[in-house]
């Protein structure tokens, strides 16, 4: 797991999707301990794919767009890396 380009933790690939789902729910429920515009991008391991990992970005000046999250029905802001995965 990287946060703004720095390695902060490790998670097994089989648990990463569950962690991402939990982070998205926390983010969209208005929890003040998590930035509303946090980008959560999970890149799964694939043959000849991008470098796999869970990438979190909180820095300003990123391109974001609002989408409706299906599990909570709330608006979530996603970044460019999230959109392709």
């Amino acid at each position: 797991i990287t946060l703004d380009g720095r390695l902060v933790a490790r998670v097994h690939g089989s648990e990463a999707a569950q962690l991402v789902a939990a982070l998205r729910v926390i983010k969209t429920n208005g929890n003040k301990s998590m930035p509303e515009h946090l980008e959560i991008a999970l890149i799964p391991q694939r043959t000849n794919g991008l470098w796999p990992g869970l990438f979190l970005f909180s820095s300003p000046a990123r391109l974001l767009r609002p989408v409706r999250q299906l599990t909570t029905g709330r608006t979530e802001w996603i970044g460019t890396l999230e959109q392709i995965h």
Side-chain angles (χ1 to χ4, degrees):
I1 302 173
T2 64
L3 174 61
D4 294 327
R6 295 178 186 222
L7 183 64
V8 293
R10 291 178 181 244
V11 65
H12 193 271
S14 62
E15 299 170 342
Q18 292 176 337
L19 177 60
V20 167
L23 288 172
R24 289 189 189 287
V25 169
I26 293 168
K27 181 175 108 173
T28 57
N29 282 338
N31 188 327
K32 298 298 179 193
S33 64
M34 184 176 293
E36 177 185 28
H37 295 101
L38 179 72
E39 183 172 358
I40 304 168
L42 176 63
I43 300 177
Q45 187 163 357
R46 296 183 183 144
T47 304
N48 298 326
L50 295 173
W51 188 266
L54 175 53
F55 301 92
L56 307 173
F57 301 101
S58 65
S59 59
R62 291 174 293 116
L63 180 63
L64 300 173
R65 70 181 183 100
V67 295
R68 173 123 3 236
Q69 189 188 65
L70 297 177
T71 56
T72 63
R74 296 176 186 231
T75 300
E76 178 181 6
W77 291 86
I78 65 169
T80 55
L81 192 58
E82 289 177 279
Q83 293 181 41
I84 59 174
H85 294 284

